[in-house]
Amino acid sequence: MIDLKLLRASPGQVRVALARRGDATLTKLLDTLEALDMKRRALTGQLDQLHAERNEAAKADARLMKEKGELPVAVREQRKKLGERVAGLEAELRRVEAELDQQALYVPNLPLPDLPDGDASHNAVLRSWGTPRPREPGLKPHWELGAALGIFDFERGAKVAGSGFPLFVGMGSKLVRALINFMLDLHTREHGYVELEPPFVVKREMMQGTGQVPKFEADAYRTEPDDLFLVPTAEVPVTNLHRDEIVDGARLPLAYAAYTPCFRREAGAAGKDTRGLLRVHQFDKVELVRFARPADSPTEHEKMTAHAEAVLQRLELPYRVVLLAAGDVGFASAKTYDLEAWAPAVGQWLEVSSSSTFTDFQARRANIRYRPGPGAKPEFVHTLNASGVALPRTLAALLETHQRPDGSVTLPSALAPYLGTDRLAAVSGGA
């Protein structure tokens, strides 16, 4: 949630920053917010005046009661009308404040100044690692490779749950488990994260805290009648661990790693990249979440991005780091790096991780603060997260990059201890 005090004090600054997102509807939304805020302040001023009048009236009434033992009928009527005016204005103030709070939930974060201007076509490739495998004749896309190796079965997955819900089989299931364990071990043993296993469903206010609702509720899976949401990412439960808390500043930064399955309808992406693992509704992901002091969050962002990169390096996957432009950055994010792994058979750079800093945007929504020092006034923390990493497209890039002419797939040495082999080959049997 943006700082309404900043909007009030520097409306031009906020409007210029949000204009970089390229969303024309934000101008009208900011107009609405400013009008509601002005009305709220006007009502507050009127109520302050009426409360002062009521206090003076109470003193006068006390004197009258002392002198006459009772209040004249006319005075009682005046006091009744004053009470009715106060009650009416208080009800109107509650309504305006509720509307202001609700409308503010639709305002995205302010992009940081160092983001490129423009839409996705202006995203900037900052660096790359490894040599992408050429798109050689005979290379098979991962969906053909996986079917031949017997490691996943999209048809039966669709039969069970519908399209976008892949079914992994045999060594495919073991490969998924190996990747999850490898990433959790790497982040906890070498990068200093505390591993969590959070609930896979969350309350509505948790989704609101990280920015998924109300704006993107159509993309979420929700249960009835308890109004719980299947997690779209572990970012949601892990970030909200410290909801409504004041964290000891001496403990910062806090770093958590968590595996969850993730569930997303992605309603706006129908018909796009539907083959194989490129766009699915259920997928596995290891998430990294950090809480930092505002002054430290830029350094923490770079550190966390490097942690995600280490996964791809250990998997021997060529990748590039892309800084998203202001018009392409996510709703809650102030700055995002996408890590894109090369998939040679489909000839695409596939996003396998987004590493974002949210400044104090999520912390305001979830009321997560820290105390800079003993006795100091609490301030909002900065939250950050990164996929560390997401499995579906990582698997696609892994299979396509490491495939051999005989149809087998060599595995990076980092995975061999988890699988007991350094090679995937076709086997008989299956689901």
Side-chain angles (χ1 to χ4, degrees):
M1 182 178 294
I2 67 166
D3 185 354
L4 290 177
K5 291 181 180 177
L6 177 63
L7 177 60
R8 187 181 307 132
S10 304
Q13 176 187 339
V14 173
R15 287 178 180 274
V16 168
L18 288 178
R20 299 180 66 212
R21 285 183 168 272
D23 184 350
T25 64
L26 292 177
T27 298
K28 184 176 180 180
L29 180 54
L30 290 175
D31 290 343
T32 299
L33 282 180
E34 289 189 295
L36 286 168
D37 189 47
M38 289 178 63
K39 190 169 185 179
R40 181 190 66 80
R41 284 185 288 160
L43 288 169
T44 300
Q46 292 176 50
L47 275 169
D48 287 344
Q49 183 177 347
L50 288 179
H51 287 149
E53 290 180 16
R54 189 160 61 177
N55 289 338
E56 290 300 318
K59 294 176 184 177
D61 292 349
R63 290 193 296 269
L64 279 174
M65 289 291 293
K66 188 175 181 180
E67 293 172 3
K68 300 184 178 182
E70 64 176 352
L71 294 178
V73 174
V75 172
R76 291 201 300 270
E77 188 64 28
Q78 289 175 358
R79 304 301 183 252
K80 179 181 177 182
K81 290 181 179 179
L82 178 60
E84 290 173 348
R85 288 176 63 196
V86 169
L89 284 176
E90 287 177 339
E92 177 66 4
L93 178 60
R94 288 193 297 271
R95 185 195 69 77
V96 169
E97 288 179 332
E99 178 67 12
L100 180 61
D101 290 343
Q102 183 64 22
Q103 291 296 324
L105 293 174
Y106 288 90
V107 181
N109 203 352
L110 307 182
L112 291 178
D114 57 337
L115 272 60
D117 289 325
D119 58 15
S121 65
H122 293 83
N123 292 347
V125 178
L126 300 184
R127 59 184 177 273
S128 60
W129 184 92
T131 303
R133 183 173 181 174
R135 196 174 183 182
E136 306 155 352
L139 282 183
K140 293 182 179 179
H142 63 277
W143 55 86
E144 291 182 14
L145 273 171
L149 292 169
I151 62 174
F152 44 65
D153 187 333
F154 294 121
E155 289 75 17
R156 287 192 173 108
K159 178 171 68 175
V160 170
S163 63
F165 294 89
L167 168 69
F168 293 91
V169 180
M171 281 299 290
S173 301
K174 194 172 183 180
L175 178 57
V176 168
R177 181 157 43 92
L179 283 164
I180 294 168
N181 288 335
F182 153 68
M183 290 187 282
L184 287 172
D185 286 346
L186 174 63
H187 295 313
T188 55
R189 293 173 182 174
E190 298 187 29
H191 299 154
Y193 289 82
V194 175
E195 181 177 348
L196 302 174
E197 184 174 342
F200 295 168
V201 294
V202 292
K203 299 175 182 177
R204 174 176 291 274
E205 55 264 36
M206 306 301 135
M207 294 282 280
Q208 180 175 295
T210 46
Q212 278 76 20
V213 301
K215 187 173 177 62
F216 303 106
E217 185 167 342
D219 287 339
Y221 286 93
R222 187 174 70 87
T223 67
E224 290 280 7
D226 41 4
D227 196 34
L228 293 174
F229 292 81
L230 278 66
V231 294
T233 164
E235 167 198 347
V236 179
V238 176
T239 301
N240 280 283
L241 285 181
H242 296 292
R243 181 185 185 89
D244 294 324
E245 292 182 15
I246 299 175
V247 179
D248 181 0
R251 296 178 58 202
L252 297 176
L254 296 174
Y256 299 113
Y259 155 73
T260 64
C262 304
F263 303 88
R264 301 180 188 178
R265 295 183 190 277
E266 298 196 277
K272 182 181 179 182
D273 293 332
T274 56
R275 300 293 300 272
L277 297 170
L278 299 186
R279 189 172 295 275
V280 291
H281 297 310
Q282 177 184 328
F283 60 94
D284 297 293
K285 179 158 66 80
V286 170
E287 188 77 359
L288 308 177
V289 174
R290 300 182 76 87
F291 299 82
R293 292 171 178 262
D296 298 334
S297 66
T299 300
E300 292 295 310
H301 191 196
E302 300 302 323
K303 181 187 298 184
M304 183 180 61
T305 303
H307 294 161
E309 289 184 67
V311 174
L312 302 180
Q313 293 172 11
R314 301 284 179 95
L315 295 178
E316 301 168 21
L317 292 177
Y319 67 89
R320 64 185 189 179
V321 180
V322 180
L323 173 61
L324 299 193
D328 193 37
V329 74
F331 175 83
S333 176
K335 181 178 181 178
T336 295
Y337 297 123
D338 274 359
L339 306 188
E340 299 178 345
W342 176 248
V346 297
Q348 294 182 41
W349 291 100
L350 305 179
E351 177 203 324
V352 295
S353 174
S354 284
S355 175
S356 300
T357 177
F358 303 96
T359 58
D360 62 2
F361 184 84
Q362 292 179 329
R364 287 181 181 279
R365 295 168 77 106
N367 191 30
I368 307 169
R369 296 175 292 167
Y370 78 103
R371 201 177 297 279
K377 182 180 178 181
E379 301 176 11
F380 289 108
V381 301
H382 279 198
T383 61
L384 309 94
N385 71 49
S387 307
V389 295
L391 263 66
R393 294 173 185 172
T394 301
L395 266 171
L398 186 74
L399 294 173
E400 294 188 10
T401 295
H402 298 309
Q403 66 178 290
R404 300 178 64 83
D406 64 0
S408 66
V409 174
T410 57
L411 295 171
S413 59
L415 288 181
Y418 296 91
L419 284 163
T421 182
D422 60 0
R423 184 170 170 268
L424 294 178
V427 295
S428 59

